[in-house]
């Protein structure tokens, strides 16, 4: 009897993840916020948009290269649809990636509740990627490494597309 209850709970949980992700994706499509199967944008209240990792089906399979490729595709689509609006990204795990691109971040101001919710959401997204269930090296699993980075690093906000870049792009067309 207990096994049947556990199996039922697991199936309901998986179904809830899939349904919730699909409904959020449908909402993003309806409101023009859907960029691709991994990324959506939202208004951040400061006249700019924020890029969010939101897999269409909850579970996803992405190594760093695939993730980066889909993120670049999402940024390209955003730039085509909103050429004169800033795009920001907040992250705890991709700080080295943005540093290699020459972007500098600013620390995100969060209270304790926001920080705990943010950590929980990041853990959830890390665990929903089966590509993270591999050995990073001899001593450590990838998902453990990423979860540690989320826990110990300060979330940073990066300006991926700035208004200055949009103005430069307009100047080159003239």
């Amino acid at each position: 009897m207990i096994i049947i209850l556990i199996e039922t709970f697991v199936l309901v949980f998986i179904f809830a993840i899939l349904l919730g992700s699909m409904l959020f994706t449908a909402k993003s499509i309806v409101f023009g916020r859907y960029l691709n199967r991994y990324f959506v944008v939202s208004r951040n209240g400061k006249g700019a948009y924020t890029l969010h990792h939101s897999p269409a089906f909850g579970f996803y399979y992405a190594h760093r290269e695939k993730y980066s490729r889909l993120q670049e595709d999402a940024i390209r689509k955003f730039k085509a649809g909103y050429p004169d609006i800033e795009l920001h990204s907040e992250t705890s795990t991709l700080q080295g990636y943005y540093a290699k691109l020459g972007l500098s971040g600013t620390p995100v101001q969060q209270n304790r509740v926001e920080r705990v919710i943010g950590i929980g959401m990041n853990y959830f997204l890390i665990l929903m990627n089966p590509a993270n269930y591999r050995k990073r090296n001899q001593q450590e699993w990838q998902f453990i490494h990423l979860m540690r980075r989320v826990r110990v690093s300060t979330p940073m906000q990066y300006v991926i597309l700035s208004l200055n870049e949009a103005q430069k792009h307009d100047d080159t067309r003239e």
Side-chain angles (χ1 to χ4, degrees):
M1 183 68 177
I2 300 271
I3 293 174
I4 293 172
L5 286 174
I6 291 171
E7 289 174 350
T8 304
F9 175 76
V10 169
L11 289 174
V12 167
F13 184 72
I14 290 171
F15 182 72
I17 291 169
L18 292 171
L19 183 62
S21 296
M22 289 188 298
L23 288 173
F24 185 77
T25 298
K27 177 185 167 198
S28 298
I29 290 170
V30 168
F31 290 105
R33 306 287 196 258
Y34 179 82
L35 298 173
N36 61 30
R37 67 181 188 232
Y38 284 8
F39 292 95
V40 298
V41 292
S42 68
R43 283 187 188 264
N44 69 5
K46 301 173 188 168
Y49 282 81
T50 301
L51 183 67
H52 299 281
H53 175 61
S54 180
F57 299 106
F59 301 97
Y60 62 104
Y61 188 83
H63 287 283
R64 173 178 238 131
E65 298 80 22
K66 181 179 181 181
Y67 183 91
S68 298
R69 190 174 65 250
L70 286 166
Q71 184 182 36
E72 289 168 9
D73 175 60
I75 293 168
R76 194 171 29 261
K77 285 181 182 176
F78 179 85
K79 195 176 192 178
Y82 304 91
D84 56 351
I85 297 178
E86 280 191 355
L87 180 63
H88 300 174
S89 178
E90 293 179 9
T91 185
S92 296
T93 58
L94 297 175
Q95 294 173 358
Y97 170 77
Y98 286 127
K100 286 179 187 174
L101 295 176
L103 299 174
S104 59
T106 57
V108 175
Q109 299 299 318
Q110 296 177 321
N111 61 36
R112 286 184 194 262
V113 173
E114 291 171 329
R115 179 73 174 139
V116 168
I117 291 170
I119 288 172
M121 289 174 62
N122 280 306
Y123 282 2
F124 181 75
L125 285 170
I126 289 166
L127 295 173
M128 292 296 101
N129 183 1
N132 290 333
Y133 294 96
R134 63 181 169 83
K135 286 281 198 167
R136 176 180 170 77
N137 54 37
Q138 295 295 334
Q139 299 90 4
E140 186 176 41
W141 289 86
Q142 179 68 12
F143 74 93
I144 293 172
H145 169 76
L146 291 172
M147 291 172 89
R148 183 180 321 106
R149 285 186 52 192
V150 166
R151 184 175 36 84
V152 300
S153 65
T154 301
M156 301 290 276
Q157 182 181 65
Y158 296 88
V159 178
I160 298 175
L161 294 175
S162 68
L163 292 175
N164 294 336
E165 186 177 314
Q167 290 169 350
K168 284 186 219 172
H169 183 61
D170 289 341
D171 292 344
T172 58
R173 278 196 254 163
E174 293 177 357

